Amino acid sequence: MGETLMTMQDIADLAGVTRPAVSQWRRRTKVRGRDVPFPQPSYDPGGRELFETREVVDWLRSTGRGNNAEFAEDAPAAGIPAGVTFDQSLILLCLRDNSEDDLSNLDESTLVEIAMSIDPADGVVLSEAIDGNFPAAALEFVDDLYSASYGAPDALDRLESGQLGRNQERRGFSGELVDIVAAVVDGMVAHADLSTGGVEPPGAGRFVLACEDLDLLAIAQNLAGLDSHGRTDSSQLRDLRRRALLRGWLALDVDQPKVTVTSVHGWERTAALEQLDHVVLDLEPFEYAIIAGSADLLCDRLEGTAERHRSESLRGSRSANHGPLVGALRLPRGLWKHAPRQNSGLWILKGQAGIARPWVADLTETEIDSGELAADIAGVLATSSAPNELPARAFRYVRARDIRSILRGEAVVPPGTRAVSFASDRYDFINDVRAASIETAEATDLFDIYVNDRPASVVVGSTSLGAMIESGTITRHSGSRIDGAWAEASGTVPVVDARKSGEVFRVDAFVAENSFRRSIRTLPGDVVCCSNPPTAWVDGRGGSLVFTPNKILRLGDDARIGPHTLAAVINDARFKEYANWQVPSVPVDQVEAVEDAMRRLSEYRQQLQMKERAAMKLGHALLSGVASGTMELMESSLEPQTSHGR
């Protein structure tokens, strides 16, 4: 992390607290009896206070304040170097997501080549890359932002919600609403991909998104593209295309089937009902529409003219008892920030579909799992395609409702409507006890080493790690932000973290290939390190994904130091800035011997750490299992009894 600056609001966001809470911290410097002064600010030309990111991270670590345990991992995306703009960062983020290495390691011609490969028609970033002149601080900031994020969509979210993105024009939809709509769209895509037998037209799994709202651009991570709604090439449209590119879907083929996403939040009721009617009338066969708005308009009972207008929109024809409504969801309060006490609602429509039993759910007090919701939507669409067949799966949230009740003026989603849920099996602690006790029962290997005196006639110097990187003796690469939800016991690709002494969990090879295609993996002998606090670990096997904020140090043939020796140097370092770490120049005849000793010492330390973790797990499982009544201790596991001659 270079010299980056944060505002007071940035500090609050990083710590997971409100802005006034940071002001209180600043005034009250006593923390558990110690005086820990708040970092001193500098000032921009407008007089705004700015704080150095590294000082803020150190202060949060020393005080223990805040509600974000991952503040150190999030910090590279929070601080902004002086002079870096939002547009620069957005353009560079598109290039970084399609680069095999950090942008700061590439020259201008390589950046143009990357832009040409992803944007030959110059609709997104090619002109901007050719104009170039990106400051080094912007390149380093985007490298750190990308490394601190769970892929390009998350990096875009962090950029938009941070210091640079606050001046962007937004509707004020919360991330929870965006996630819900995204899950619905994912369900549509999953259903279209799985459709067979001619029910859907060829290529139905590929859609174009008809949406021009910045807040809702995060909804279609699996879609084929963005409907431009025009042939012009304005700066706003280029901006939308960049965001679409970072979401993983970008196409300008408006002849493909569309998913139209429309929000009527804040509209006057008559105008909102007219907009609903327009959306329904514009739907083509096999196209979908999602309408978001207030729950009192989309979900609750209406009276008089409003009720008649809504019912007419939901009928397939003037006298039909069916229509295009596939499903409706009542959503929690606060999803539209301009009306935090208002519940939101969602309609899911399908073009020219005669559906007599739409599926509805009240999700106002339900913990929503995006994957489960997407699966429900895919199941609902499959059921609507074959209305005379029973559903092929149980639903987590939704329940069928007769549309005739809705057309008579009743609520679309009666309060409390939800699917039946089932209790899960109780947890069995016996397997945990047995697995941990196998580890603790094994003896630990002994470690010993022999040394001799040596005449101190050789002058042993040192050089800094920064100088070795500058000379190319060592190359430095960024890690990746990886969500623990992707962990799989049967995974084959390790995710490593020097702070956890190696492997943290594993992910499936297909997930690693699809979700982390641009992430740099380790080679055998790479040193994985973290600078604050200085920690290092050697990957002897290679092929691992590296958890940010760790970096990969790759030694060249002329490094004159082994990876385990370098890791030991880093683990003993006193400086927090990696460039200042001093790497000793080991005599040539001692390089291999020192490396072998450091390797064996590292293995010994790992054995001790594994024993410690197993002992902690064993203690937890024993207490929990006995207390829950699912396990009892045998007499042989207690204190040994007197043998009485046996």
Side-chain angles (χ1 to χ4, degrees):
M1 192 192 313
E3 290 294 323
T4 59
L5 302 173
M6 305 175 66
T7 65
M8 290 283 281
Q9 183 61 55
D10 293 330
I11 297 173
D13 294 341
L14 180 62
V17 299
T18 62
R19 169 67 171 75
V22 180
S23 297
Q24 290 285 349
W25 293 347
R26 189 176 182 181
R27 288 194 294 267
R28 300 175 180 176
T29 59
K30 287 287 186 182
V31 183
R32 293 184 291 276
R34 297 183 300 119
D35 187 47
V36 186
F38 197 80
Q40 292 298 310
S42 58
Y43 297 89
D44 66 8
R48 182 178 56 168
E49 291 184 322
L50 298 172
F51 301 83
E52 211 282 310
T53 303
R54 186 177 299 281
E55 293 180 2
V56 172
V57 170
D58 290 343
W59 186 86
L60 289 173
R61 180 177 289 107
S62 62
T63 60
R65 282 177 164 164
N67 300 319
N68 180 16
E70 296 185 336
F71 65 88
E73 289 86 348
D74 293 331
I80 310 296
V84 175
T85 67
F86 181 88
D87 289 339
Q88 285 176 344
S89 302
L90 187 60
I91 293 165
L92 291 173
L93 197 55
C94 292
L95 300 179
R96 177 61 186 89
D97 190 44
N98 290 275
S99 169
E100 301 293 341
D101 201 352
D102 293 343
L103 298 181
S104 54
N105 291 338
L106 308 177
D107 55 28
E108 292 185 3
S109 62
T110 306
L111 297 182
V112 174
E113 290 176 5
I114 295 171
M116 179 66 77
S117 68
I118 62 177
D119 184 28
D122 192 16
V124 187
V125 295
L126 181 56
S127 292
E128 292 81 356
I130 292 174
D131 292 341
N133 296 322
F134 298 111
L139 299 174
E140 293 177 1
F141 166 67
V142 170
D143 286 340
D144 284 340
L145 171 65
Y146 195 83
S147 174
S149 305
Y150 296 115
D154 183 48
L156 177 58
D157 289 340
R158 292 170 185 269
L159 181 63
E160 290 178 332
S161 62
Q163 183 183 147
L164 294 178
R166 293 195 190 105
N167 294 328
Q168 302 294 306
E169 183 179 352
R170 307 300 291 268
R171 284 290 304 279
F173 298 130
S174 74
E176 186 178 357
L177 176 61
V178 174
D179 289 343
I180 291 170
V181 180
V184 172
V185 176
D186 284 345
M188 293 175 176
V189 175
H191 165 65
D193 283 337
L194 295 174
S195 297
T196 56
V199 177
E200 302 284 358
R206 295 175 59 81
F207 292 102
V208 176
L209 175 68
C211 172
E212 291 187 355
D213 189 287
L214 290 182
D215 273 325
L216 295 178
L217 280 176
I219 66 174
Q221 298 177 16
N222 296 326
L223 293 188
L226 171 69
D227 183 357
S228 66
H229 293 295
R231 303 298 180 184
T232 60
D233 194 27
S234 65
S235 59
Q236 180 184 7
L237 185 54
R238 292 179 74 87
D239 180 80
L240 287 171
R241 289 170 181 160
R242 290 179 198 124
R243 298 168 196 261
L245 178 64
L246 289 168
R247 299 293 178 199
W249 46 271
L250 180 62
L252 303 176
D253 181 5
V254 296
D255 294 328
Q256 292 177 234
K258 293 196 297 290
V259 175
T260 303
V261 180
T262 303
S263 169
V264 293
H265 280 93
W267 289 43
E268 188 271 331
R269 175 171 288 186
T270 301
L273 289 170
E274 290 178 355
Q275 179 65 18
L276 300 183
D277 205 36
H278 288 316
V279 172
V280 172
L281 292 174
D282 289 343
L283 271 176
E284 297 293 334
F286 306 113
E287 292 188 344
Y288 297 106
I290 299 172
I291 300 176
S294 64
D296 61 356
L297 177 70
L298 300 180
C299 301
D300 294 342
R301 177 192 292 270
L302 295 180
E303 303 289 343
T305 304
E307 184 277 322
R308 289 194 299 274
H309 198 156
R310 186 174 73 178
S311 295
E312 289 173 2
S313 297
L314 291 178
R315 290 183 188 273
S317 61
R318 182 175 295 274
S319 60
N321 285 324
H322 55 73
L325 183 66
V326 176
L329 306 175
R330 183 193 300 274
L331 303 177
R333 295 179 178 180
L335 301 186
W336 184 44
K337 298 176 183 178
H338 297 290
R341 298 181 61 83
Q342 180 185 85
N343 287 99
S344 294
L346 208 69
W347 277 6
I348 303 160
L349 306 168
K350 184 176 181 181
Q352 298 186 9
I355 298 172
R357 292 179 63 82
W359 295 78
V360 301
D362 183 348
L363 305 179
T364 54
E365 297 186 17
T366 303
E367 185 176 348
I368 303 172
D369 181 280
S370 297
E372 293 285 353
L373 181 57
D376 268 15
I377 299 303
V380 163
L381 293 172
T383 302
S384 67
S385 301
N388 296 325
E389 298 181 8
L390 292 174
R393 64 182 296 278
F395 292 104
R396 171 74 178 273
Y397 302 109
V398 297
R399 174 180 293 176
R401 176 162 170 74
D402 194 332
I403 198 172
R404 289 176 295 183
S405 301
I406 299 173
L407 298 178
R408 287 196 300 264
E410 296 182 12
V412 179
V413 185
T417 301
R418 64 194 61 182
V420 178
S421 60
F422 299 90
S424 59
D425 295 335
R426 67 180 184 177
Y427 189 77
D428 187 358
F429 294 97
I430 292 180
N431 288 337
D432 282 351
V433 171
R434 289 172 176 167
S437 61
I438 289 174
E439 181 66 38
T440 57
E442 292 182 355
T444 304
D445 295 337
L446 297 177
F447 179 81
D448 198 1
I449 195 166
Y450 302 94
V451 296
N452 290 321
D453 289 334
R454 178 169 179 162
S457 58
V458 179
V459 177
V460 180
S462 65
T463 186
S464 68
L465 181 61
M468 298 181 75
I469 294 174
E470 183 71 22
S471 66
T473 305
I474 294 177
T475 56
R476 181 173 176 263
H477 308 276
S478 297
S480 305
R481 193 71 180 267
I482 304 171
D483 194 338
W486 286 320
E488 290 190 21
S490 59
T492 58
V493 179
V495 177
V496 299
D497 186 343
R499 298 168 300 178
K500 303 292 180 62
S501 300
E503 184 176 318
V504 182
F505 52 81
R506 294 191 172 208
V507 298
D508 184 79
F510 290 104
V511 172
E513 183 65 27
N514 294 331
S515 299
F516 304 104
R517 67 189 188 284
R518 300 298 180 188
S519 298
I520 299 174
R521 300 199 198 181
T522 59
L523 298 178
D526 277 353
V527 178
V528 179
C529 70
C530 189
S531 60
N532 198 357
T535 314
W537 171 82
V538 178
D539 189 348
R541 192 183 73 169
S544 302
L545 292 168
V546 175
F547 197 86
T548 192
N550 290 272
K551 303 290 184 181
I552 301 171
L553 298 180
R554 189 161 292 163
L555 280 66
D557 296 335
D558 55 346
R560 286 188 56 187
I561 191 171
H564 289 91
T565 308
L566 179 59
V569 169
I570 296 173
N571 287 324
D572 197 41
R574 298 181 180 180
F575 299 105
K576 295 178 181 177
E577 178 57 51
Y578 75 91
N580 295 330
W581 294 340
Q582 296 298 307
V583 181
S585 299
V586 179
V588 175
D589 63 335
Q590 289 288 292
V591 169
E592 292 187 6
V594 171
E595 174 65 12
D596 180 66
M598 293 300 176
R599 177 188 57 77
R600 292 191 291 117
L601 182 58
S602 175
E603 293 173 353
Y604 181 69
R605 291 179 61 190
Q606 290 179 22
Q607 288 184 32
L608 297 179
Q609 290 167 353
M610 290 175 60
K611 296 289 185 185
E612 182 180 12
R613 288 194 295 267
M616 294 179 64
K617 184 176 181 179
L618 178 59
H620 171 75
L622 282 173
L623 288 174
S624 301
V626 173
S628 65
T630 62
M631 182 179 66
E632 64 180 7
L633 292 179
M634 300 171 62
E635 184 176 340
S636 59
S637 66
L638 305 176
E639 286 292 331
Q641 305 295 318
T642 306
S643 64
H644 300 294
R646 295 183 60 187

